[in-house]
Amino acid sequence: MASNLQSFLTTLMIFLVVAQTSARPSPNADMLNKLKSIFKVGQGIMVYNIGVSSEGLEDDEIVCAERRAGKSYCKEVENYIEATRLDKIDPEQFAKFKEYFKDDLEQTQMVATRMDVGDSKTKIIYPEGAESEDSKWLLVVQDEQHKQGVLIEECENVDSASEENSTLPVEHISKCKQNFSYRKLVVLVNGEMKEKMVKLPSNCECY
């Protein structure tokens, strides 16, 4: 196993050297910077994986199952801990935004008294990523001591016929549309906490 890994690293190093010295066009600056953020070359043929750069994840690097499915938030962002480094942030920043670190409990009680919609689900989530007003993706501040619990209502089957009406004629079949609203959460921007409006599912409208 160790010999296979050493062979792979040796091949990778040779490839990088050839790419820089051959007559072919050299990689652009962005590509070289991205490689440097992933690998660090020491003496001899040694390559060290140093993980995510200290600047955090870029907009297009905030990935999760929900975003791939077309949703406006991420429950769990890949490499979230390494990207945010919340353990390195000044505690005074957390204290400054302490009013945000709570669950939407008062709204949860209201939802418990309303009539359930068969094609929707209401729940509290703790998003690690979310889409902003200008369609950029941001890292939302979440850790064990500082959680931002937000109440959302999502359609189970967006733009598809309700199961209970599936046997009815087409003109009598109801469909559901997901509605969204913007709310302010604490996010990370260049390593600092800021308040930003993010897009979250608000209610499911069936018609």
Side-chain angles (χ1 to χ4, degrees):
M1 182 71 176
S3 61
N4 291 339
L5 178 60
Q6 184 175 2
S7 297
F8 168 75
L9 295 177
T10 302
T11 303
L12 177 61
M13 177 59 66
I14 294 173
F15 171 77
L16 291 174
V17 172
V18 171
Q20 292 183 7
T21 59
S22 66
R24 296 178 182 176
S26 60
N28 59 38
D30 290 340
M31 179 61 70
L32 290 176
N33 289 333
K34 189 166 289 287
L35 284 173
K36 289 178 182 178
S37 72
I38 300 174
F39 297 103
K40 181 179 181 181
V41 180
Q43 294 181 350
I45 303 177
M46 295 291 290
V47 179
Y48 306 95
N49 186 351
I50 61 174
V52 181
S53 67
S54 60
E55 295 179 358
L57 297 178
E58 297 294 334
D59 178 8
D60 59 355
E61 293 176 326
I62 299 177
V63 293
C64 65
E66 291 80 18
R67 185 176 180 181
R68 294 189 187 101
K71 296 185 178 183
S72 64
Y73 66 88
C74 284
K75 284 185 179 179
E76 295 183 6
V77 173
E78 298 174 12
N79 297 322
Y80 179 81
I81 295 177
E82 295 85 351
T84 57
R85 297 306 302 269
L86 294 177
D87 58 323
K88 302 296 182 183
I89 293 180
D90 189 336
E92 290 185 1
Q93 287 200 52
F94 287 100
K96 180 180 178 181
F97 298 104
K98 63 181 181 180
E99 63 187 78
Y100 286 91
F101 301 119
K102 60 184 179 180
D103 290 358
D104 288 337
L105 293 178
E106 65 279 2
Q107 296 184 38
T108 304
Q109 185 175 3
M110 292 173 57
V111 171
T113 62
R114 64 187 282 277
M115 182 180 296
D116 289 335
V117 178
D119 296 298
S120 72
K121 181 180 293 185
T122 302
K123 56 188 175 182
I124 292 278
I125 64 169
Y126 303 89
E128 293 183 350
E131 188 178 356
S132 67
E133 285 183 295
D134 52 359
S135 300
K136 292 183 178 180
W137 280 78
L138 303 170
L139 291 168
V140 180
V141 176
Q142 301 281 8
D143 69 10
E144 289 299 324
Q145 289 75 40
H146 307 89
K147 289 183 175 293
Q148 299 181 81
V150 294
L151 184 71
I152 64 170
E153 181 182 316
E154 285 187 302
C155 293
E156 293 285 271
N157 301 294
V158 178
D159 289 333
S160 62
S162 171
E163 290 185 5
E164 62 187 36
N165 296 325
S166 59
T167 59
L168 297 175
V170 175
E171 61 270 20
H172 296 293
I173 294 178
S174 64
K175 292 186 178 181
C176 296
K177 174 186 176 183
Q178 181 66 62
N179 292 326
F180 297 87
S181 63
Y182 289 90
R183 65 171 296 171
K184 196 175 292 184
L185 293 180
V186 179
V187 302
L188 282 178
V189 179
N190 296 324
E192 293 188 7
M193 293 187 188
K194 294 184 180 293
E195 300 167 313
K196 293 286 185 180
M197 300 293 287
V198 298
K199 181 180 179 181
L200 293 169
S202 58
N203 70 292
C204 181
E205 181 181 1
C206 295
Y207 55 93

